Amino acid sequence: MTRQSTTGPLASGALRTRTLLTALAAVLCAAAAGCSSGDDTAATESTAPTLTASAAPLSSAPADPEAEAKATALEVYQGYWGEMQAFYADREGTSAGLKQYAASEALSVAENAAGRAHARNRVYIGKVTVSQSAVTGTDLDSKTPKVMLSSCLDVSQWQPVVADTRKPVELPANRLTKYLIATTVEKWPQGWRVVRDEPQGKKC
């Protein structure tokens, strides 16, 4: 009995059939959800949402009452001199604006001095420069809290003139135009106010 050769037409047909089945299986596997490989796993991992820890809310430190009082006193003093210049420059002006920054002795001194100048037909023009302001002490536990300041006041560019003609008023040649000044700022019901502003008679 003679054995058929496995290399004949029948064998070739079987080989082609297996090749086609293998290719078809590969196509079906790629389309099926159940088939996966190492590359599919990596792709799934790369598209997975990444969880990040949310930042903890920042806690605001409690305000320092003394630091706030110091900062407010320094700011009020600058505003005080801004209103002083406006008050002295307007012969018909009032101290309404100045009252937002000054009270007690400081307000009385300013009103009296400006009143005398205006009565003599004089106004002050130019500017006052406040520099080197520093807190020299505080008393926040008293009935009326207060902050003490020291500053250098430069009035060399603040000139009295005749209101009608703007002619400069002659001043003593040896007058002190840049000097130390000691200030007390108190907390009143209406807010912080300059209550004393006293030249020290010393250059700065």
Side-chain angles (χ1 to χ4, degrees):
M1 185 175 180
T2 305
R3 299 179 59 187
Q4 287 186 331
S5 171
T6 58
T7 61
L10 188 59
S12 298
L15 180 59
R16 285 196 297 272
T17 300
R18 286 196 299 270
T19 302
L20 290 172
L21 290 173
T22 301
L24 179 60
V27 171
L28 293 174
C29 183
C35 293
S36 63
S37 65
D39 292 342
D40 295 333
T41 303
T44 302
E45 291 177 352
S46 66
T47 57
T50 302
L51 299 179
T52 56
S54 59
L58 296 176
S59 59
S60 57
D64 181 352
E66 184 172 5
E68 282 191 352
K70 290 178 179 179
T72 301
L74 290 167
E75 184 178 351
V76 165
Y77 190 57
Q78 290 289 337
Y80 162 79
W81 269 106
E83 288 296 333
M84 284 279 281
Q85 292 172 81
F87 181 37
Y88 274 75
D90 185 0
R91 189 183 176 195
E92 305 299 327
T94 69
S95 59
L98 185 59
K99 287 178 180 177
Q100 302 299 313
Y101 296 92
S104 190
E105 179 184 321
L107 179 61
S108 297
V109 169
E111 288 178 330
N112 291 335
R116 288 194 300 270
H118 294 163
R120 298 173 67 185
N121 196 31
R122 295 177 180 179
V123 294
Y124 281 69
I125 61 174
K127 66 176 182 178
V128 176
T129 301
V130 181
S131 63
Q132 302 175 32
S133 292
V135 175
T136 57
T138 62
D139 184 3
L140 304 181
D141 296 326
S142 63
K143 184 178 179 180
T144 304
K146 56 178 64 68
V147 176
M148 283 68 76
L149 308 176
S150 175
S151 304
C152 180
L153 204 66
D154 185 350
V155 297
S156 60
Q157 303 302 312
W158 200 36
Q159 175 70 42
V161 298
V162 177
D164 298 333
T165 64
R166 286 301 196 259
K167 180 181 178 181
V169 174
E170 189 174 347
L171 296 171
N174 61 345
R175 72 186 183 108
L176 199 58
T177 59
K178 193 174 181 181
Y179 49 86
L180 288 173
I181 192 162
T183 308
T184 301
V185 187
E186 291 183 347
K187 187 176 183 181
W188 286 43
Q190 302 86 355
W192 288 87
R193 298 290 188 269
V194 175
V195 296
R196 280 185 295 280
D197 201 32
E198 303 168 319
Q200 301 299 293
K202 298 178 181 179
K203 292 182 179 181
C204 57

